[in-house]
Amino acid sequence: MSAPAVTPVITIDGPGGSGKGTVSRRVAAALGFHLLDSGAIYRVAALACVRQGVALDDVAAAAEVASTMQVSFEVLGDRTGVALGGVDVSDEVPLESTGSLASQVAKHGEVRDAVLGLQRRFRRAPGLVADGRDMGTVVFADALCKVYLTASVEERARRRYQQLTDQGLRVTLDDLTSSIRARDARDMGREIAPLRPADDALSIDSTSLPIESVCEQVLAYYAKRVAQYPQ
Ligand code: DC
């Protein structure tokens, strides 16, 4: 009897503003794959803690909130609709302030364990593109195709600035740069599942690359991995 087919996963990890969200969305659309924005899960967990008056460093209570929150995602073209307990939180999720809260709650191993099952349930046929910090190192360590996407801090802050001001939000480049630096330090320096490239990841520096070219490189790398390891 042959082994059951494994649903392929493409992991795209990297720091905030590296372009992984846009690249993941486009690669998933090109292949007809499902999409997991794991950062949004941590963002919603942080919002749920704030709503319930749970301090982000109250590890047991935050993990309880993360494991019981009722969250749903809907891919809507260029953005993701997110509901928490049936309430639309799509506007709060992308804020840099929410990203900063998410980074604080995400450093706790108990919180990460609480959302592990939720993340893994996104793996469904015909395939999944998963974007985050530890997709290739922890959550889908067996993924067929792993990518680590990065860019200079200045370029990432500039992209975030563009993205948020396009949405009509008032932010300054200086504030974004310091928040991104602080998040990088926290996400890379934490003990559990720190942000780092998986040993078998293809690293792409997107500082001066157009998004189309990054997507092409990811799709070409995926095709190469499929040819190397037919499922
Ligand atoms: O990708 P993002 O900016 O939406 O992520 C927000 C924060 O959530 C990020 O600063 C750290 C945390 N995060 C994480 O710890 N692990 C992931 N897989 C995704 C996000």
Side-chain angles (χ1 to χ4, degrees), residues 12-23 131-133 148-152 155-157 159-160 163 180 184 195 204-207 209 211 214:
I12 306 191
D13 287 308
S18 56
K20 60 191 163 49
T22 309
V23 170
D131 127 31
R133 302 289 185 292
Y148 188 79
L149 193 57
T150 189
S152 70
E155 176 62 16
R156 290 190 281 124
R159 289 179 191 166
R160 264 289 148 84
Q163 201 179 26
I180 283 179
D184 281 0
L195 169 62
I204 304 176
D205 184 335
S206 73
T207 306
L209 284 179
I211 205 90
V214 178

PDB file of all heavy atoms in Angstrom, residues 12-23 131-133 148-152 155-157 159-160 163 180 184 195 204-207 209 211 214:
ATOM      1  N   ILE A  12       6.280  30.847   4.625  1.00  0.00           N
ATOM      2  CA  ILE A  12       6.955  32.111   4.330  1.00  0.00           C
ATOM      3  C   ILE A  12       7.102  32.865   5.648  1.00  0.00           C
ATOM      4  O   ILE A  12       6.132  33.413   6.175  1.00  0.00           O
ATOM      5  CB  ILE A  12       6.176  32.938   3.272  1.00  0.00           C
ATOM      6  CG1 ILE A  12       5.943  32.068   2.028  1.00  0.00           C
ATOM      7  CG2 ILE A  12       6.936  34.224   2.942  1.00  0.00           C
ATOM      8  CD1 ILE A  12       5.431  32.780   0.802  1.00  0.00           C
ATOM      9  N   ASP A  13       8.300  32.811   6.212  1.00  0.00           N
ATOM     10  CA  ASP A  13       8.569  33.474   7.482  1.00  0.00           C
ATOM     11  C   ASP A  13       9.409  34.722   7.248  1.00  0.00           C
ATOM     12  O   ASP A  13      10.127  34.826   6.244  1.00  0.00           O
ATOM     13  CB  ASP A  13       9.332  32.524   8.418  1.00  0.00           C
ATOM     14  CG  ASP A  13       8.435  31.415   8.956  1.00  0.00           C
ATOM     15  OD1 ASP A  13       7.357  31.734   9.487  1.00  0.00           O
ATOM     16  OD2 ASP A  13       8.807  30.223   8.834  1.00  0.00           O
ATOM     17  N   GLY A  14       9.335  35.624   8.207  1.00  0.00           N
ATOM     18  CA  GLY A  14      10.164  36.821   8.113  1.00  0.00           C
ATOM     19  C   GLY A  14       9.641  37.905   9.023  1.00  0.00           C
ATOM     20  O   GLY A  14       8.569  37.773   9.608  1.00  0.00           O
ATOM     21  N   PRO A  15      10.409  38.985   9.154  1.00  0.00           N
ATOM     22  CA  PRO A  15       9.988  40.076  10.034  1.00  0.00           C
ATOM     23  C   PRO A  15       8.866  40.916   9.429  1.00  0.00           C
ATOM     24  O   PRO A  15       8.575  40.797   8.229  1.00  0.00           O
ATOM     25  CB  PRO A  15      11.276  40.914  10.178  1.00  0.00           C
ATOM     26  CG  PRO A  15      12.043  40.652   8.935  1.00  0.00           C
ATOM     27  CD  PRO A  15      11.711  39.244   8.518  1.00  0.00           C
ATOM     28  N   GLY A  16       8.257  41.758  10.255  1.00  0.00           N
ATOM     29  CA  GLY A  16       7.166  42.617   9.795  1.00  0.00           C
ATOM     30  C   GLY A  16       7.618  43.543   8.672  1.00  0.00           C
ATOM     31  O   GLY A  16       8.708  44.102   8.741  1.00  0.00           O
ATOM     32  N   GLY A  17       6.789  43.664   7.646  1.00  0.00           N
ATOM     33  CA  GLY A  17       7.086  44.577   6.551  1.00  0.00           C
ATOM     34  C   GLY A  17       7.999  43.989   5.495  1.00  0.00           C
ATOM     35  O   GLY A  17       8.387  44.668   4.538  1.00  0.00           O
ATOM     36  N   SER A  18       8.316  42.692   5.621  1.00  0.00           N
ATOM     37  CA  SER A  18       9.213  42.084   4.629  1.00  0.00           C
ATOM     38  C   SER A  18       8.465  41.767   3.333  1.00  0.00           C
ATOM     39  O   SER A  18       9.074  41.397   2.338  1.00  0.00           O
ATOM     40  CB  SER A  18       9.842  40.808   5.192  1.00  0.00           C
ATOM     41  OG  SER A  18       8.828  39.915   5.599  1.00  0.00           O
ATOM     42  N   GLY A  19       7.151  41.898   3.358  1.00  0.00           N
ATOM     43  CA  GLY A  19       6.345  41.627   2.164  1.00  0.00           C
ATOM     44  C   GLY A  19       5.729  40.246   2.183  1.00  0.00           C
ATOM     45  O   GLY A  19       5.058  39.831   1.245  1.00  0.00           O
ATOM     46  N   LYS A  20       5.910  39.511   3.288  1.00  0.00           N
ATOM     47  CA  LYS A  20       5.445  38.110   3.293  1.00  0.00           C
ATOM     48  C   LYS A  20       3.933  37.981   3.148  1.00  0.00           C
ATOM     49  O   LYS A  20       3.462  37.022   2.553  1.00  0.00           O
ATOM     50  CB  LYS A  20       5.972  37.334   4.500  1.00  0.00           C
ATOM     51  CG  LYS A  20       5.566  37.880   5.825  1.00  0.00           C
ATOM     52  CD  LYS A  20       6.361  37.202   6.926  1.00  0.00           C
ATOM     53  CE  LYS A  20       6.286  37.994   8.199  1.00  0.00           C
ATOM     54  NZ  LYS A  20       4.984  38.423   8.670  1.00  0.00           N
ATOM     55  N   GLY A  21       3.186  38.964   3.694  1.00  0.00           N
ATOM     56  CA  GLY A  21       1.721  38.900   3.584  1.00  0.00           C
ATOM     57  C   GLY A  21       1.279  38.956   2.128  1.00  0.00           C
ATOM     58  O   GLY A  21       0.509  38.100   1.666  1.00  0.00           O
ATOM     59  N   THR A  22       1.795  39.940   1.405  1.00  0.00           N
ATOM     60  CA  THR A  22       1.410  40.102  -0.003  1.00  0.00           C
ATOM     61  C   THR A  22       1.899  38.923  -0.835  1.00  0.00           C
ATOM     62  O   THR A  22       1.167  38.379  -1.668  1.00  0.00           O
ATOM     63  CB  THR A  22       2.023  41.412  -0.564  1.00  0.00           C
ATOM     64  OG1 THR A  22       1.699  42.458   0.331  1.00  0.00           O
ATOM     65  CG2 THR A  22       1.514  41.723  -1.943  1.00  0.00           C
ATOM     66  N   VAL A  23       3.138  38.511  -0.592  1.00  0.00           N
ATOM     67  CA  VAL A  23       3.699  37.391  -1.369  1.00  0.00           C
ATOM     68  C   VAL A  23       2.892  36.121  -1.097  1.00  0.00           C
ATOM     69  O   VAL A  23       2.516  35.389  -2.026  1.00  0.00           O
ATOM     70  CB  VAL A  23       5.200  37.187  -1.034  1.00  0.00           C
ATOM     71  CG1 VAL A  23       5.733  35.908  -1.638  1.00  0.00           C
ATOM     72  CG2 VAL A  23       6.011  38.382  -1.496  1.00  0.00           C
ATOM     73  N   ASP A 131       2.080  32.005   6.491  1.00  0.00           N
ATOM     74  CA  ASP A 131       3.001  33.126   6.703  1.00  0.00           C
ATOM     75  C   ASP A 131       3.132  33.460   8.176  1.00  0.00           C
ATOM     76  O   ASP A 131       2.167  33.377   8.921  1.00  0.00           O
ATOM     77  CB  ASP A 131       2.503  34.275   5.801  1.00  0.00           C
ATOM     78  CG  ASP A 131       2.252  35.617   6.449  1.00  0.00           C
ATOM     79  OD1 ASP A 131       2.919  35.981   7.420  1.00  0.00           O
ATOM     80  OD2 ASP A 131       1.377  36.317   5.927  1.00  0.00           O
ATOM     81  N   GLY A 132       4.365  33.720   8.649  1.00  0.00           N
ATOM     82  CA  GLY A 132       4.541  34.027  10.075  1.00  0.00           C
ATOM     83  C   GLY A 132       5.988  34.179  10.480  1.00  0.00           C
ATOM     84  O   GLY A 132       6.802  34.753   9.750  1.00  0.00           O
ATOM     85  N   ARG A 133       6.291  33.675  11.684  1.00  0.00           N
ATOM     86  CA  ARG A 133       7.650  33.768  12.220  1.00  0.00           C
ATOM     87  C   ARG A 133       8.263  32.374  12.412  1.00  0.00           C
ATOM     88  O   ARG A 133       9.473  32.210  12.341  1.00  0.00           O
ATOM     89  CB  ARG A 133       7.664  34.463  13.593  1.00  0.00           C
ATOM     90  CG  ARG A 133       7.086  35.865  13.620  1.00  0.00           C
ATOM     91  CD  ARG A 133       8.006  36.837  12.908  1.00  0.00           C
ATOM     92  NE  ARG A 133       7.545  38.232  13.001  1.00  0.00           N
ATOM     93  CZ  ARG A 133       6.463  38.727  12.423  1.00  0.00           C
ATOM     94  NH1 ARG A 133       5.705  37.947  11.692  1.00  0.00           N
ATOM     95  NH2 ARG A 133       6.161  40.003  12.543  1.00  0.00           N
ATOM     96  N   TYR A 148      12.405  32.241   3.618  1.00  0.00           N
ATOM     97  CA  TYR A 148      12.624  33.269   4.636  1.00  0.00           C
ATOM     98  C   TYR A 148      12.784  34.586   3.898  1.00  0.00           C
ATOM     99  O   TYR A 148      13.699  34.758   3.094  1.00  0.00           O
ATOM    100  CB  TYR A 148      13.876  32.965   5.459  1.00  0.00           C
ATOM    101  CG  TYR A 148      14.033  33.892   6.642  1.00  0.00           C
ATOM    102  CD1 TYR A 148      13.307  33.693   7.804  1.00  0.00           C
ATOM    103  CD2 TYR A 148      14.898  34.986   6.581  1.00  0.00           C
ATOM    104  CE1 TYR A 148      13.434  34.544   8.891  1.00  0.00           C
ATOM    105  CE2 TYR A 148      15.039  35.839   7.674  1.00  0.00           C
ATOM    106  CZ  TYR A 148      14.298  35.606   8.820  1.00  0.00           C
ATOM    107  OH  TYR A 148      14.422  36.450   9.895  1.00  0.00           O
ATOM    108  N   LEU A 149      11.853  35.491   4.163  1.00  0.00           N
ATOM    109  CA  LEU A 149      11.828  36.748   3.424  1.00  0.00           C
ATOM    110  C   LEU A 149      12.226  37.888   4.341  1.00  0.00           C
ATOM    111  O   LEU A 149      11.684  38.024   5.437  1.00  0.00           O
ATOM    112  CB  LEU A 149      10.391  36.950   2.921  1.00  0.00           C
ATOM    113  CG  LEU A 149      10.140  38.020   1.872  1.00  0.00           C
ATOM    114  CD1 LEU A 149      10.998  37.786   0.637  1.00  0.00           C
ATOM    115  CD2 LEU A 149       8.657  37.986   1.482  1.00  0.00           C
ATOM    116  N   THR A 150      13.167  38.698   3.878  1.00  0.00           N
ATOM    117  CA  THR A 150      13.573  39.824   4.719  1.00  0.00           C
ATOM    118  C   THR A 150      13.764  41.076   3.872  1.00  0.00           C
ATOM    119  O   THR A 150      13.596  41.050   2.645  1.00  0.00           O
ATOM    120  CB  THR A 150      14.837  39.462   5.531  1.00  0.00           C
ATOM    121  OG1 THR A 150      15.076  40.492   6.470  1.00  0.00           O
ATOM    122  CG2 THR A 150      16.046  39.279   4.656  1.00  0.00           C
ATOM    123  N   ALA A 151      14.053  42.187   4.529  1.00  0.00           N
ATOM    124  CA  ALA A 151      14.350  43.456   3.857  1.00  0.00           C
ATOM    125  C   ALA A 151      14.937  44.369   4.929  1.00  0.00           C
ATOM    126  O   ALA A 151      14.774  44.090   6.126  1.00  0.00           O
ATOM    127  CB  ALA A 151      13.082  44.076   3.267  1.00  0.00           C
ATOM    128  N   SER A 152      15.595  45.444   4.508  1.00  0.00           N
ATOM    129  CA  SER A 152      16.196  46.352   5.506  1.00  0.00           C
ATOM    130  C   SER A 152      15.101  46.970   6.376  1.00  0.00           C
ATOM    131  O   SER A 152      13.948  47.077   5.950  1.00  0.00           O
ATOM    132  CB  SER A 152      16.969  47.463   4.800  1.00  0.00           C
ATOM    133  OG  SER A 152      16.052  48.330   4.150  1.00  0.00           O
ATOM    134  N   GLU A 155      13.447  49.993   4.708  1.00  0.00           N
ATOM    135  CA  GLU A 155      12.514  49.658   3.641  1.00  0.00           C
ATOM    136  C   GLU A 155      11.218  49.076   4.219  1.00  0.00           C
ATOM    137  O   GLU A 155      10.118  49.374   3.757  1.00  0.00           O
ATOM    138  CB  GLU A 155      13.181  48.654   2.678  1.00  0.00           C
ATOM    139  CG  GLU A 155      12.296  48.125   1.552  1.00  0.00           C
ATOM    140  CD  GLU A 155      11.788  49.202   0.594  1.00  0.00           C
ATOM    141  OE1 GLU A 155      12.323  50.324   0.587  1.00  0.00           O
ATOM    142  OE2 GLU A 155      10.808  48.913  -0.137  1.00  0.00           O
ATOM    143  N   ARG A 156      11.347  48.278   5.255  1.00  0.00           N
ATOM    144  CA  ARG A 156      10.143  47.679   5.869  1.00  0.00           C
ATOM    145  C   ARG A 156       9.275  48.756   6.504  1.00  0.00           C
ATOM    146  O   ARG A 156       8.050  48.728   6.394  1.00  0.00           O
ATOM    147  CB  ARG A 156      10.558  46.608   6.877  1.00  0.00           C
ATOM    148  CG  ARG A 156      11.142  45.385   6.176  1.00  0.00           C
ATOM    149  CD  ARG A 156      11.339  44.235   7.113  1.00  0.00           C
ATOM    150  NE  ARG A 156      12.511  44.338   7.944  1.00  0.00           N
ATOM    151  CZ  ARG A 156      12.522  44.296   9.264  1.00  0.00           C
ATOM    152  NH1 ARG A 156      11.382  44.167   9.938  1.00  0.00           N
ATOM    153  NH2 ARG A 156      13.645  44.364   9.939  1.00  0.00           N
ATOM    154  N   ALA A 157       9.920  49.724   7.153  1.00  0.00           N
ATOM    155  CA  ALA A 157       9.154  50.818   7.769  1.00  0.00           C
ATOM    156  C   ALA A 157       8.471  51.649   6.679  1.00  0.00           C
ATOM    157  O   ALA A 157       7.315  52.043   6.824  1.00  0.00           O
ATOM    158  CB  ALA A 157      10.077  51.692   8.604  1.00  0.00           C
ATOM    159  N   ARG A 159       7.470  50.617   3.732  1.00  0.00           N
ATOM    160  CA  ARG A 159       6.329  49.853   3.192  1.00  0.00           C
ATOM    161  C   ARG A 159       5.137  49.906   4.134  1.00  0.00           C
ATOM    162  O   ARG A 159       4.002  50.063   3.713  1.00  0.00           O
ATOM    163  CB  ARG A 159       6.730  48.386   2.978  1.00  0.00           C
ATOM    164  CG  ARG A 159       7.682  48.209   1.823  1.00  0.00           C
ATOM    165  CD  ARG A 159       8.040  46.736   1.708  1.00  0.00           C
ATOM    166  NE  ARG A 159       9.149  46.565   0.792  1.00  0.00           N
ATOM    167  CZ  ARG A 159       9.850  45.444   0.680  1.00  0.00           C
ATOM    168  NH1 ARG A 159       9.568  44.401   1.429  1.00  0.00           N
ATOM    169  NH2 ARG A 159      10.831  45.360  -0.178  1.00  0.00           N
ATOM    170  N   ARG A 160       5.407  49.715   5.427  1.00  0.00           N
ATOM    171  CA  ARG A 160       4.320  49.769   6.418  1.00  0.00           C
ATOM    172  C   ARG A 160       3.648  51.136   6.402  1.00  0.00           C
ATOM    173  O   ARG A 160       2.433  51.258   6.482  1.00  0.00           O
ATOM    174  CB  ARG A 160       4.869  49.520   7.824  1.00  0.00           C
ATOM    175  CG  ARG A 160       4.764  48.098   8.302  1.00  0.00           C
ATOM    176  CD  ARG A 160       3.309  47.715   8.590  1.00  0.00           C
ATOM    177  NE  ARG A 160       3.052  46.309   8.324  1.00  0.00           N
ATOM    178  CZ  ARG A 160       3.300  45.330   9.174  1.00  0.00           C
ATOM    179  NH1 ARG A 160       3.784  45.585  10.342  1.00  0.00           N
ATOM    180  NH2 ARG A 160       3.029  44.087   8.837  1.00  0.00           N
ATOM    181  N   GLN A 163       1.443  51.355   3.415  1.00  0.00           N
ATOM    182  CA  GLN A 163       0.271  50.491   3.598  1.00  0.00           C
ATOM    183  C   GLN A 163      -0.752  51.145   4.552  1.00  0.00           C
ATOM    184  O   GLN A 163      -1.939  51.211   4.257  1.00  0.00           O
ATOM    185  CB  GLN A 163       0.783  49.198   4.246  1.00  0.00           C
ATOM    186  CG  GLN A 163      -0.057  47.982   4.115  1.00  0.00           C
ATOM    187  CD  GLN A 163       0.667  46.806   4.823  1.00  0.00           C
ATOM    188  OE1 GLN A 163       1.474  46.999   5.750  1.00  0.00           O
ATOM    189  NE2 GLN A 163       0.382  45.602   4.392  1.00  0.00           N
ATOM    190  N   ILE A 180       9.014  48.760  14.708  1.00  0.00           N
ATOM    191  CA  ILE A 180       9.505  47.595  13.953  1.00  0.00           C
ATOM    192  C   ILE A 180      10.810  47.075  14.567  1.00  0.00           C
ATOM    193  O   ILE A 180      10.988  45.864  14.730  1.00  0.00           O
ATOM    194  CB  ILE A 180       9.658  47.944  12.457  1.00  0.00           C
ATOM    195  CG1 ILE A 180       8.271  47.956  11.814  1.00  0.00           C
ATOM    196  CG2 ILE A 180      10.585  46.980  11.731  1.00  0.00           C
ATOM    197  CD1 ILE A 180       8.248  48.310  10.357  1.00  0.00           C
ATOM    198  N   ASP A 184      11.259  43.410  16.111  1.00  0.00           N
ATOM    199  CA  ASP A 184      12.330  42.518  15.615  1.00  0.00           C
ATOM    200  C   ASP A 184      13.105  41.945  16.798  1.00  0.00           C
ATOM    201  O   ASP A 184      13.361  40.743  16.873  1.00  0.00           O
ATOM    202  CB  ASP A 184      13.329  43.294  14.748  1.00  0.00           C
ATOM    203  CG  ASP A 184      12.833  43.551  13.339  1.00  0.00           C
ATOM    204  OD1 ASP A 184      11.711  43.128  13.017  1.00  0.00           O
ATOM    205  OD2 ASP A 184      13.583  44.187  12.561  1.00  0.00           O
ATOM    206  N   LEU A 195      12.116  34.138  15.820  1.00  0.00           N
ATOM    207  CA  LEU A 195      12.164  34.323  14.371  1.00  0.00           C
ATOM    208  C   LEU A 195      13.572  34.032  13.871  1.00  0.00           C
ATOM    209  O   LEU A 195      14.539  34.685  14.292  1.00  0.00           O
ATOM    210  CB  LEU A 195      11.784  35.769  14.027  1.00  0.00           C
ATOM    211  CG  LEU A 195      12.028  36.190  12.576  1.00  0.00           C
ATOM    212  CD1 LEU A 195      11.182  35.356  11.605  1.00  0.00           C
ATOM    213  CD2 LEU A 195      11.728  37.670  12.385  1.00  0.00           C
ATOM    214  N   ILE A 204      15.367  35.132   0.858  1.00  0.00           N
ATOM    215  CA  ILE A 204      15.251  36.151  -0.190  1.00  0.00           C
ATOM    216  C   ILE A 204      15.253  37.524   0.483  1.00  0.00           C
ATOM    217  O   ILE A 204      14.459  37.772   1.386  1.00  0.00           O
ATOM    218  CB  ILE A 204      13.930  35.992  -0.998  1.00  0.00           C
ATOM    219  CG1 ILE A 204      13.806  34.585  -1.602  1.00  0.00           C
ATOM    220  CG2 ILE A 204      13.825  37.061  -2.083  1.00  0.00           C
ATOM    221  CD1 ILE A 204      12.474  34.327  -2.323  1.00  0.00           C
ATOM    222  N   ASP A 205      16.156  38.398   0.034  1.00  0.00           N
ATOM    223  CA  ASP A 205      16.171  39.775   0.526  1.00  0.00           C
ATOM    224  C   ASP A 205      15.398  40.618  -0.483  1.00  0.00           C
ATOM    225  O   ASP A 205      15.815  40.769  -1.624  1.00  0.00           O
ATOM    226  CB  ASP A 205      17.615  40.270   0.657  1.00  0.00           C
ATOM    227  CG  ASP A 205      17.685  41.662   1.256  1.00  0.00           C
ATOM    228  OD1 ASP A 205      16.698  42.428   1.137  1.00  0.00           O
ATOM    229  OD2 ASP A 205      18.715  41.991   1.859  1.00  0.00           O
ATOM    230  N   SER A 206      14.258  41.151  -0.032  1.00  0.00           N
ATOM    231  CA  SER A 206      13.367  41.839  -0.972  1.00  0.00           C
ATOM    232  C   SER A 206      13.564  43.358  -0.964  1.00  0.00           C
ATOM    233  O   SER A 206      12.755  44.068  -1.553  1.00  0.00           O
ATOM    234  CB  SER A 206      11.912  41.517  -0.625  1.00  0.00           C
ATOM    235  OG  SER A 206      11.530  42.207   0.545  1.00  0.00           O
ATOM    236  N   THR A 207      14.655  43.829  -0.309  1.00  0.00           N
ATOM    237  CA  THR A 207      14.830  45.288  -0.163  1.00  0.00           C
ATOM    238  C   THR A 207      14.664  46.019  -1.493  1.00  0.00           C
ATOM    239  O   THR A 207      13.965  47.011  -1.582  1.00  0.00           O
ATOM    240  CB  THR A 207      16.215  45.622   0.446  1.00  0.00           C
ATOM    241  OG1 THR A 207      16.353  44.888   1.655  1.00  0.00           O
ATOM    242  CG2 THR A 207      16.341  47.116   0.731  1.00  0.00           C
ATOM    243  N   LEU A 209      13.746  44.451  -4.494  1.00  0.00           N
ATOM    244  CA  LEU A 209      13.093  43.590  -5.487  1.00  0.00           C
ATOM    245  C   LEU A 209      11.618  43.935  -5.598  1.00  0.00           C
ATOM    246  O   LEU A 209      10.943  44.098  -4.581  1.00  0.00           O
ATOM    247  CB  LEU A 209      13.168  42.123  -5.054  1.00  0.00           C
ATOM    248  CG  LEU A 209      14.478  41.366  -5.212  1.00  0.00           C
ATOM    249  CD1 LEU A 209      14.297  39.945  -4.696  1.00  0.00           C
ATOM    250  CD2 LEU A 209      14.912  41.346  -6.665  1.00  0.00           C
ATOM    251  N   ILE A 211       7.719  43.078  -5.929  1.00  0.00           N
ATOM    252  CA  ILE A 211       6.966  41.974  -5.341  1.00  0.00           C
ATOM    253  C   ILE A 211       6.755  40.823  -6.351  1.00  0.00           C
ATOM    254  O   ILE A 211       6.816  39.652  -5.994  1.00  0.00           O
ATOM    255  CB  ILE A 211       5.629  42.510  -4.775  1.00  0.00           C
ATOM    256  CG1 ILE A 211       5.113  41.617  -3.668  1.00  0.00           C
ATOM    257  CG2 ILE A 211       4.570  42.722  -5.810  1.00  0.00           C
ATOM    258  CD1 ILE A 211       5.601  42.009  -2.331  1.00  0.00           C
ATOM    259  N   VAL A 214       9.692  38.549  -6.377  1.00  0.00           N
ATOM    260  CA  VAL A 214       9.749  37.678  -5.194  1.00  0.00           C
ATOM    261  C   VAL A 214       8.771  36.514  -5.392  1.00  0.00           C
ATOM    262  O   VAL A 214       9.112  35.346  -5.146  1.00  0.00           O
ATOM    263  CB  VAL A 214       9.398  38.463  -3.905  1.00  0.00           C
ATOM    264  CG1 VAL A 214       9.403  37.538  -2.704  1.00  0.00           C
ATOM    265  CG2 VAL A 214      10.358  39.623  -3.697  1.00  0.00           C
TER     266      VAL A 214
END
